[in-house]
Amino acid sequence: MAVDYLAKTAVVTGAGSGIGRALSIELARRGANVAASDIDQAGLEETIRLCGPVAGQVEPYVVDMSDRAAVWAHADEVAGTFSAVHLVVNNAGVAVVGTIEETAFEDIDWLLGVNLYGVIHGTKAFLPHLIASGDGHLVNISSVFGLVAPAFSGVYATSKFAVAGFTEALRQEMIIGGHPVSVHAVHPGGIKTDIVRHARLGPSTRDSGRDPAREFVRLARTSAKKAARRILAGVDAGRPRILVGPDAYLIAALPRLFGARYSGLLTWAGRQIGRR
């Protein structure tokens, strides 16, 4: 059953680009009030411009999702402005490309602060408002790398596996507690966004002469607009796990088809990448 977003309030983090921007535009098009947040003010302003004239109210918020106090204040401000919150999409994310051995703790802390703690902060801060709405929907963005863990993306995969586990446990708790909140974990494949372009690179990746951003753009098959519509379709259908993109379905099938042996395929692929 399709969710009626008209005059409902949706919170989207990481709305300054990529999937977050596409979701903000699509939700505004469907008549929702949108609280769009990002740490990048310029990107956020462009998202608001692209939403154009809409039936609902679209408001920008500059928020660092790794800052717990800032996220709590943001939740209070949004609830005060719109009186109720019906949908939260914890989408903000960053990437690190490199081996676990070489990745500095500074980069690990940065990535986990956004990808994992950003989701935890957004969930904890907004969950009381979603419950109070009587018709809440919580969407946490994991990744296909929350289903399999390839070489050179170990820290990123760590955050995305954690998001998947956090979301799965929360979904059960909402059901057991009888709370009116549907909970969804999203696992996008290669989406045409700038996340890799803005990634922090380990020394071996920088020294190899490889361009991970160019490789990612070549492999990514799904537009952010299609991803946004797929995510909302999954929410409409009440799917606990939402796969986005044909590659996501293929990757999700690897552990089911090959069991623990699937890691051998990833190891082979990693070796090919390392030789380039």
Side-chain angles (χ1 to χ4, degrees):
M1 181 177 180
V3 176
D4 182 7
Y5 295 101
L6 185 63
K8 300 288 182 66
T9 298
V11 175
V12 182
T13 74
S17 63
I19 294 175
R21 171 177 287 173
L23 277 167
S24 298
I25 294 170
E26 184 64 24
L27 286 163
R29 188 186 70 80
R30 298 186 187 194
N33 299 316
V34 181
S37 72
D38 203 288
I39 198 170
D40 176 10
Q41 183 171 356
L44 192 57
E45 290 173 354
E46 177 65 8
T47 296
I48 301 303
R49 186 189 71 78
L50 290 170
C51 285
V54 290
Q57 182 179 354
V58 182
E59 295 291 339
Y61 299 87
V62 178
V63 182
D64 178 356
M65 292 303 295
S66 69
D67 184 334
R68 185 175 303 164
V71 177
W72 248 257
H74 174 50
D76 289 342
E77 185 177 7
V78 170
T81 299
F82 295 103
S83 75
V85 178
H86 304 89
L87 168 69
V88 173
V89 184
N90 287 308
N91 164 75
V94 295
V96 169
V97 180
T99 67
I100 293 172
E101 179 184 11
E102 71 183 356
T103 302
F105 275 106
E106 178 185 359
D107 291 340
I108 294 173
D109 291 341
W110 171 68
L111 183 141
L112 293 180
V114 179
N115 290 12
L116 176 54
Y117 277 100
V119 170
I120 294 173
H121 294 160
T123 298
K124 292 278 285 177
F126 282 102
L127 190 57
H129 302 292
L130 291 174
I131 293 172
S133 76
D135 181 27
H137 307 274
L138 176 69
V139 179
N140 289 338
I141 307 296
S142 178
S143 167
V144 290
F145 290 171
L147 301 172
V148 302
F152 312 116
S153 295
V155 177
Y156 182 80
T158 296
S159 70
K160 295 304 185 177
F161 266 84
V163 166
F166 175 82
T167 306
E168 183 174 334
L170 179 63
R171 181 187 310 116
Q172 296 174 53
E173 292 170 3
M174 291 295 100
I175 295 170
I176 292 169
H179 297 302
V181 179
S182 68
V183 181
H184 313 265
V186 178
H187 298 271
I191 311 299
K192 295 176 182 178
T193 72
D194 288 335
I195 187 169
V196 178
R197 190 175 304 280
H198 298 300
R200 294 186 181 182
L201 306 181
S204 64
T205 303
R206 289 196 304 268
D207 297 343
S208 69
R210 290 174 48 221
D211 185 348
R214 179 177 296 179
E215 293 173 2
F216 180 78
V217 169
R218 180 174 58 84
L219 293 172
R221 288 288 180 266
T222 304
S223 69
K225 182 177 181 178
K226 286 184 179 179
R229 290 180 174 176
R230 174 65 182 169
I231 290 167
L232 295 180
V235 174
D236 287 347
R239 295 192 186 98
R241 176 187 287 183
I242 302 171
L243 300 175
V244 180
D247 50 344
Y249 284 88
L250 175 62
I251 292 171
L254 290 178
R256 296 199 303 271
L257 292 174
F258 296 99
R261 293 177 297 163
Y262 87 86
S263 63
L265 295 174
L266 297 185
T267 302
W268 176 85
R271 283 174 175 159
Q272 306 315 304
I273 292 172
R275 289 169 182 164
R276 291 178 183 174

